[in-house]
Amino acid sequence: MQKIQNLSKYFFFYTDDIPLEIKPDSLEHAYLCVLDNDLKSAKKIFSRLNSPRAKWGKVLCSILEGYVDEYPTYFQIRNFLEIDMDFLLKNEKLDYMEQLLGALTLLSTINQETFKFAARVMFENKFFSAALKYMEKSKKIHYNDPELHFMLSKYYLEVHDDEAAYHSICECLRILPGYYPALLIKAKIEEKMD
């Protein structure tokens, strides 16, 4: 087994300081290869595994290499794109992030929520202008997505634009009237505006 002693070097979604053990030919091993810029080995490992995550990992490696030899499924994008974007961003794999961001238009033809997923990653990592850019792209594809308008409202609150935040949360509630978190934000904005 390969042990990683310096957890601060890699972000693997673990919060404790226990030394991480990576089993050979595991998903973690493949992702470690991605972090080590060894996409060829990562792709081989993903190819030997039989799981939805491994199938996505193989597609991911192709995208990171700059081409798509196999298209991902709607569910692969829904289940893994956001997680892996966050993983790459937190591990400062900016070249890989650029490749993945460059593939979003293609991926959005398979899953119309693709830009929203990218926006959420950017927002949560405090890249607010990029988050807005991807929310606007998402709005052009699927305007009537209540979650998108909820995210837009949170963005506008973050940048202190209460009027735009109110408009977005009202759009969210127009689409999904009983959405409780949106009702709370609307009440908070109305309280600030009074």
Side-chain angles (χ1 to χ4, degrees):
M1 281 193 223
Q2 182 177 358
K3 288 188 180 185
I4 300 175
Q5 296 299 328
N6 185 2
L7 286 181
S8 64
K9 182 178 176 188
Y10 299 111
F11 176 79
F12 261 100
F13 304 105
Y14 298 103
T15 57
D16 53 25
D17 290 328
I18 299 169
L20 182 61
E21 292 187 14
I22 304 290
K23 294 180 183 176
D25 292 331
S26 64
L27 284 171
E28 293 86 358
H29 184 200
Y31 276 97
L32 181 59
C33 290
V34 170
L35 293 181
D36 284 337
N37 300 314
D38 186 359
L39 295 176
K40 185 178 179 183
S41 294
K43 200 170 190 179
K44 283 182 184 176
I45 294 167
F46 284 132
S47 295
R48 288 193 291 262
L49 299 172
N50 185 20
S51 73
R53 184 68 187 247
K55 289 175 183 174
W56 160 256
K58 195 173 148 196
V59 172
L60 174 68
C61 286
S62 294
I63 293 170
L64 299 181
E65 290 173 325
Y67 66 93
V68 177
D69 58 358
E70 180 180 336
Y71 289 97
T73 67
Y74 172 92
F75 289 108
Q76 287 171 338
I77 295 168
R78 187 188 77 179
N79 294 338
F80 307 120
L81 175 67
E82 194 172 335
I83 293 167
D84 283 352
M85 287 182 74
D86 190 60
F87 174 74
L88 293 171
L89 198 55
K90 283 185 168 51
N91 280 291
E92 300 176 3
K93 303 305 284 181
L94 302 183
D95 289 346
Y96 289 163
M97 276 299 293
E98 285 182 22
Q99 289 292 104
L100 207 44
L101 292 172
L104 293 181
T105 299
L106 171 68
L107 298 178
S108 72
T109 64
I110 300 166
N111 184 320
Q112 65 186 11
E113 294 181 282
T114 297
F115 288 118
K116 179 178 70 175
F117 301 147
R120 188 172 19 242
V121 171
M122 294 302 163
F123 184 83
E124 293 302 323
N125 284 283
K126 303 195 183 319
F127 292 103
F128 298 119
S129 61
L132 179 61
K133 172 186 170 183
Y134 292 115
M135 284 186 262
E136 290 297 331
K137 285 180 176 263
S138 186
K139 215 162 62 166
K140 289 178 183 175
I141 293 172
H142 186 47
Y143 184 86
N144 287 321
D145 180 342
E147 184 182 21
L148 173 63
H149 292 285
F150 182 81
M151 289 170 55
L152 277 162
S153 184
K154 285 176 56 178
Y155 164 80
Y156 287 123
L157 286 173
E158 184 67 38
V159 298
H160 309 289
D161 186 342
D162 292 343
E163 189 176 310
Y166 189 74
H167 172 75
S168 294
I169 210 64
C170 287
E171 280 297 283
C172 173
L173 289 167
R174 178 187 61 78
I175 300 162
L176 188 62
Y179 186 43
Y180 186 69
L183 291 169
L184 292 178
I185 287 181
K186 183 179 180 201
K188 178 181 167 184
I189 296 169
E190 287 173 341
E191 187 177 298
K192 284 173 70 176
M193 295 173 92
D194 283 342

Short mmCIF file of all heavy atoms in Angstrom, two decimals, residues 64-97:
data_model
loop_
_atom_site.label_atom_id
_atom_site.label_comp_id
_atom_site.label_asym_id
_atom_site.label_seq_id
_atom_site.Cartn_x
_atom_site.Cartn_y
_atom_site.Cartn_z
N LEU A 64 -9.24 15.96 -19.49
CA LEU A 64 -8.05 16.63 -18.97
C LEU A 64 -6.88 16.55 -19.95
O LEU A 64 -6.00 17.41 -19.94
CB LEU A 64 -7.65 16.04 -17.61
CG LEU A 64 -8.70 16.17 -16.50
CD1 LEU A 64 -8.19 15.57 -15.21
CD2 LEU A 64 -9.14 17.61 -16.31
N GLU A 65 -6.90 15.52 -20.80
CA GLU A 65 -5.88 15.40 -21.84
C GLU A 65 -6.20 16.25 -23.07
O GLU A 65 -5.38 16.38 -23.98
CB GLU A 65 -5.73 13.93 -22.27
CG GLU A 65 -5.09 13.06 -21.19
CD GLU A 65 -5.10 11.58 -21.54
OE1 GLU A 65 -6.07 11.11 -22.17
OE2 GLU A 65 -4.13 10.90 -21.16
N GLY A 66 -7.42 16.79 -23.12
CA GLY A 66 -7.78 17.70 -24.19
C GLY A 66 -8.63 17.12 -25.29
O GLY A 66 -8.77 17.73 -26.35
N TYR A 67 -9.20 15.95 -25.08
CA TYR A 67 -10.08 15.36 -26.09
C TYR A 67 -11.12 14.48 -25.39
O TYR A 67 -10.97 14.15 -24.22
CB TYR A 67 -9.29 14.52 -27.09
CG TYR A 67 -8.65 13.29 -26.49
CD1 TYR A 67 -9.32 12.06 -26.50
CD2 TYR A 67 -7.40 13.34 -25.88
CE1 TYR A 67 -8.75 10.93 -25.93
CE2 TYR A 67 -6.84 12.22 -25.31
CZ TYR A 67 -7.51 11.02 -25.34
OH TYR A 67 -6.95 9.90 -24.76
N VAL A 68 -12.16 14.16 -26.13
CA VAL A 68 -13.19 13.27 -25.59
C VAL A 68 -13.31 12.08 -26.53
O VAL A 68 -13.71 12.24 -27.68
CB VAL A 68 -14.55 13.99 -25.45
CG1 VAL A 68 -15.62 13.04 -24.96
CG2 VAL A 68 -14.42 15.19 -24.52
N ASP A 69 -12.92 10.91 -26.04
CA ASP A 69 -13.06 9.71 -26.87
C ASP A 69 -14.31 8.91 -26.51
O ASP A 69 -14.72 8.02 -27.23
CB ASP A 69 -11.80 8.83 -26.79
CG ASP A 69 -11.46 8.39 -25.38
OD1 ASP A 69 -12.16 8.79 -24.43
OD2 ASP A 69 -10.46 7.66 -25.23
N GLU A 70 -14.90 9.26 -25.38
CA GLU A 70 -16.14 8.61 -24.93
C GLU A 70 -16.94 9.67 -24.19
O GLU A 70 -16.42 10.34 -23.29
CB GLU A 70 -15.79 7.45 -24.00
CG GLU A 70 -16.96 6.69 -23.47
CD GLU A 70 -16.51 5.55 -22.54
OE1 GLU A 70 -15.37 5.08 -22.66
OE2 GLU A 70 -17.33 5.17 -21.71
N TYR A 71 -18.19 9.85 -24.57
CA TYR A 71 -19.01 10.87 -23.94
C TYR A 71 -19.53 10.39 -22.59
O TYR A 71 -19.93 9.24 -22.44
CB TYR A 71 -20.19 11.27 -24.83
CG TYR A 71 -19.74 12.05 -26.04
CD1 TYR A 71 -19.54 11.43 -27.27
CD2 TYR A 71 -19.50 13.42 -25.94
CE1 TYR A 71 -19.12 12.15 -28.37
CE2 TYR A 71 -19.08 14.15 -27.05
CZ TYR A 71 -18.88 13.52 -28.25
OH TYR A 71 -18.46 14.23 -29.33
N PRO A 72 -19.56 11.30 -21.61
CA PRO A 72 -20.14 10.92 -20.32
C PRO A 72 -21.66 10.87 -20.42
O PRO A 72 -22.25 11.43 -21.34
CB PRO A 72 -19.70 12.07 -19.40
CG PRO A 72 -19.56 13.24 -20.31
CD PRO A 72 -19.08 12.67 -21.63
N THR A 73 -22.27 10.22 -19.47
CA THR A 73 -23.73 10.18 -19.42
C THR A 73 -24.26 11.37 -18.62
O THR A 73 -23.51 12.04 -17.90
CB THR A 73 -24.22 8.88 -18.74
OG1 THR A 73 -23.83 8.92 -17.36
CG2 THR A 73 -23.65 7.64 -19.43
N TYR A 74 -25.53 11.60 -18.75
CA TYR A 74 -26.22 12.63 -17.97
C TYR A 74 -25.92 12.45 -16.49
O TYR A 74 -25.58 13.38 -15.77
CB TYR A 74 -27.73 12.54 -18.25
CG TYR A 74 -28.57 13.42 -17.37
CD1 TYR A 74 -28.90 14.71 -17.78
CD2 TYR A 74 -29.04 12.97 -16.14
CE1 TYR A 74 -29.67 15.53 -16.98
CE2 TYR A 74 -29.80 13.79 -15.33
CZ TYR A 74 -30.12 15.07 -15.75
OH TYR A 74 -30.87 15.88 -14.95
N PHE A 75 -26.06 11.20 -16.01
CA PHE A 75 -25.89 10.93 -14.58
C PHE A 75 -24.44 11.03 -14.14
O PHE A 75 -24.16 11.43 -13.00
CB PHE A 75 -26.48 9.57 -14.21
CG PHE A 75 -27.98 9.57 -14.26
CD1 PHE A 75 -28.65 8.92 -15.28
CD2 PHE A 75 -28.72 10.26 -13.32
CE1 PHE A 75 -30.04 8.95 -15.34
CE2 PHE A 75 -30.11 10.29 -13.37
CZ PHE A 75 -30.77 9.63 -14.39
N GLN A 76 -23.49 10.68 -14.99
CA GLN A 76 -22.08 10.85 -14.63
C GLN A 76 -21.77 12.32 -14.40
O GLN A 76 -21.10 12.68 -13.42
CB GLN A 76 -21.17 10.28 -15.72
CG GLN A 76 -21.14 8.77 -15.76
CD GLN A 76 -20.41 8.24 -16.98
OE1 GLN A 76 -20.25 8.91 -17.99
NE2 GLN A 76 -19.96 6.99 -16.88
N ILE A 77 -22.27 13.17 -15.26
CA ILE A 77 -22.06 14.61 -15.10
C ILE A 77 -22.74 15.09 -13.83
O ILE A 77 -22.15 15.82 -13.02
CB ILE A 77 -22.57 15.39 -16.33
CG1 ILE A 77 -21.74 15.02 -17.56
CG2 ILE A 77 -22.55 16.89 -16.08
CD1 ILE A 77 -22.33 15.49 -18.88
N ARG A 78 -23.98 14.68 -13.63
CA ARG A 78 -24.73 15.10 -12.44
C ARG A 78 -24.05 14.65 -11.15
O ARG A 78 -23.97 15.38 -10.18
CB ARG A 78 -26.16 14.57 -12.48
CG ARG A 78 -27.01 15.14 -11.34
CD ARG A 78 -28.35 14.50 -11.26
NE ARG A 78 -28.19 13.20 -10.62
CZ ARG A 78 -29.19 12.37 -10.37
NH1 ARG A 78 -30.40 12.68 -10.73
NH2 ARG A 78 -28.98 11.23 -9.78
N ASN A 79 -23.56 13.42 -11.15
CA ASN A 79 -23.03 12.84 -9.91
C ASN A 79 -21.59 13.21 -9.60
O ASN A 79 -21.21 13.22 -8.43
CB ASN A 79 -23.16 11.32 -9.94
CG ASN A 79 -24.61 10.87 -9.93
OD1 ASN A 79 -25.49 11.60 -9.49
ND2 ASN A 79 -24.86 9.68 -10.42
N PHE A 80 -20.77 13.48 -10.63
CA PHE A 80 -19.34 13.59 -10.38
C PHE A 80 -18.66 14.88 -10.83
O PHE A 80 -17.59 15.21 -10.33
CB PHE A 80 -18.61 12.40 -11.02
CG PHE A 80 -19.16 11.07 -10.60
CD1 PHE A 80 -19.67 10.19 -11.54
CD2 PHE A 80 -19.21 10.70 -9.26
CE1 PHE A 80 -20.19 8.96 -11.17
CE2 PHE A 80 -19.73 9.48 -8.87
CZ PHE A 80 -20.22 8.60 -9.83
N LEU A 81 -19.22 15.60 -11.78
CA LEU A 81 -18.54 16.79 -12.30
C LEU A 81 -18.24 17.80 -11.20
O LEU A 81 -17.11 18.27 -11.06
CB LEU A 81 -19.37 17.45 -13.41
CG LEU A 81 -18.80 18.77 -13.94
CD1 LEU A 81 -17.49 18.53 -14.68
CD2 LEU A 81 -19.81 19.45 -14.85
N GLU A 82 -19.24 18.14 -10.44
CA GLU A 82 -19.08 19.16 -9.40
C GLU A 82 -18.04 18.74 -8.37
O GLU A 82 -17.18 19.53 -7.97
CB GLU A 82 -20.44 19.38 -8.74
CG GLU A 82 -20.54 20.60 -7.90
CD GLU A 82 -21.96 20.85 -7.43
OE1 GLU A 82 -22.92 20.41 -8.09
OE2 GLU A 82 -22.10 21.50 -6.40
N ILE A 83 -18.10 17.50 -7.95
CA ILE A 83 -17.15 16.97 -6.96
C ILE A 83 -15.73 17.05 -7.49
O ILE A 83 -14.81 17.50 -6.80
CB ILE A 83 -17.51 15.52 -6.59
CG1 ILE A 83 -18.85 15.46 -5.86
CG2 ILE A 83 -16.41 14.88 -5.75
CD1 ILE A 83 -19.42 14.06 -5.75
N ASP A 84 -15.55 16.64 -8.74
CA ASP A 84 -14.19 16.61 -9.29
C ASP A 84 -13.68 18.01 -9.61
O ASP A 84 -12.48 18.28 -9.48
CB ASP A 84 -14.13 15.70 -10.52
CG ASP A 84 -14.11 14.23 -10.11
OD1 ASP A 84 -13.98 13.94 -8.90
OD2 ASP A 84 -14.22 13.38 -10.99
N MET A 85 -14.55 18.92 -10.00
CA MET A 85 -14.12 20.30 -10.20
C MET A 85 -13.62 20.88 -8.88
O MET A 85 -12.56 21.52 -8.83
CB MET A 85 -15.26 21.16 -10.75
CG MET A 85 -15.59 20.88 -12.19
SD MET A 85 -16.91 21.97 -12.79
CE MET A 85 -16.00 23.49 -12.93
N ASP A 86 -14.36 20.64 -7.82
CA ASP A 86 -13.95 21.13 -6.50
C ASP A 86 -12.63 20.48 -6.07
O ASP A 86 -11.74 21.15 -5.55
CB ASP A 86 -15.06 20.85 -5.48
CG ASP A 86 -14.82 21.54 -4.17
OD1 ASP A 86 -14.75 22.80 -4.17
OD2 ASP A 86 -14.71 20.86 -3.13
N PHE A 87 -12.50 19.19 -6.32
CA PHE A 87 -11.28 18.43 -6.00
C PHE A 87 -10.08 19.02 -6.73
O PHE A 87 -9.02 19.27 -6.13
CB PHE A 87 -11.51 16.97 -6.39
CG PHE A 87 -10.31 16.08 -6.27
CD1 PHE A 87 -9.85 15.67 -5.03
CD2 PHE A 87 -9.66 15.62 -7.40
CE1 PHE A 87 -8.75 14.83 -4.92
CE2 PHE A 87 -8.56 14.78 -7.31
CZ PHE A 87 -8.10 14.38 -6.05
N LEU A 88 -10.22 19.28 -8.02
CA LEU A 88 -9.12 19.84 -8.80
C LEU A 88 -8.79 21.27 -8.35
O LEU A 88 -7.61 21.63 -8.25
CB LEU A 88 -9.44 19.81 -10.29
CG LEU A 88 -9.54 18.43 -10.92
CD1 LEU A 88 -10.08 18.53 -12.35
CD2 LEU A 88 -8.19 17.71 -10.90
N LEU A 89 -9.80 22.05 -8.07
CA LEU A 89 -9.59 23.43 -7.64
C LEU A 89 -8.88 23.47 -6.29
O LEU A 89 -7.90 24.21 -6.12
CB LEU A 89 -10.93 24.14 -7.57
CG LEU A 89 -10.92 25.65 -7.56
CD1 LEU A 89 -10.15 26.22 -8.74
CD2 LEU A 89 -12.35 26.18 -7.57
N LYS A 90 -9.34 22.66 -5.36
CA LYS A 90 -8.73 22.65 -4.03
C LYS A 90 -7.30 22.12 -4.06
O LYS A 90 -6.50 22.45 -3.19
CB LYS A 90 -9.59 21.86 -3.06
CG LYS A 90 -10.82 22.63 -2.61
CD LYS A 90 -11.60 21.90 -1.57
CE LYS A 90 -12.65 22.71 -0.89
NZ LYS A 90 -13.58 23.43 -1.70
N ASN A 91 -6.99 21.30 -5.05
CA ASN A 91 -5.62 20.80 -5.20
C ASN A 91 -4.80 21.64 -6.17
O ASN A 91 -3.72 21.23 -6.60
CB ASN A 91 -5.65 19.33 -5.66
CG ASN A 91 -5.90 18.41 -4.50
OD1 ASN A 91 -5.06 18.25 -3.62
ND2 ASN A 91 -7.09 17.82 -4.45
N GLU A 92 -5.33 22.82 -6.51
CA GLU A 92 -4.63 23.79 -7.34
C GLU A 92 -4.18 23.23 -8.69
O GLU A 92 -3.12 23.58 -9.20
CB GLU A 92 -3.45 24.40 -6.57
CG GLU A 92 -3.91 25.11 -5.31
CD GLU A 92 -2.77 25.63 -4.46
OE1 GLU A 92 -1.59 25.51 -4.86
OE2 GLU A 92 -3.07 26.17 -3.39
N LYS A 93 -5.01 22.39 -9.27
CA LYS A 93 -4.74 21.83 -10.60
C LYS A 93 -5.41 22.75 -11.64
O LYS A 93 -6.39 22.38 -12.28
CB LYS A 93 -5.24 20.39 -10.71
CG LYS A 93 -4.66 19.44 -9.67
CD LYS A 93 -3.16 19.42 -9.64
CE LYS A 93 -2.58 18.65 -10.79
NZ LYS A 93 -1.13 18.60 -10.78
N LEU A 94 -4.87 23.94 -11.77
CA LEU A 94 -5.51 24.97 -12.58
C LEU A 94 -5.50 24.64 -14.07
O LEU A 94 -6.46 24.96 -14.78
CB LEU A 94 -4.86 26.33 -12.30
CG LEU A 94 -4.92 26.77 -10.83
CD1 LEU A 94 -4.32 28.16 -10.66
CD2 LEU A 94 -6.33 26.73 -10.28
N ASP A 95 -4.45 23.99 -14.56
CA ASP A 95 -4.45 23.58 -15.97
C ASP A 95 -5.58 22.59 -16.24
O ASP A 95 -6.25 22.68 -17.27
CB ASP A 95 -3.11 22.93 -16.36
CG ASP A 95 -1.97 23.94 -16.41
OD1 ASP A 95 -2.26 25.15 -16.41
OD2 ASP A 95 -0.81 23.51 -16.45
N TYR A 96 -5.78 21.67 -15.32
CA TYR A 96 -6.87 20.71 -15.47
C TYR A 96 -8.22 21.39 -15.36
O TYR A 96 -9.17 21.05 -16.08
CB TYR A 96 -6.76 19.59 -14.43
CG TYR A 96 -5.62 18.63 -14.66
CD1 TYR A 96 -5.18 17.80 -13.64
CD2 TYR A 96 -4.97 18.53 -15.90
CE1 TYR A 96 -4.15 16.90 -13.84
CE2 TYR A 96 -3.94 17.65 -16.10
CZ TYR A 96 -3.53 16.83 -15.06
OH TYR A 96 -2.51 15.94 -15.27
N MET A 97 -8.32 22.38 -14.46
CA MET A 97 -9.58 23.12 -14.34
C MET A 97 -9.89 23.84 -15.65
O MET A 97 -11.04 23.85 -16.08
CB MET A 97 -9.51 24.13 -13.19
CG MET A 97 -9.83 23.54 -11.85
SD MET A 97 -11.50 22.87 -11.73
CE MET A 97 -12.48 24.36 -11.87
#
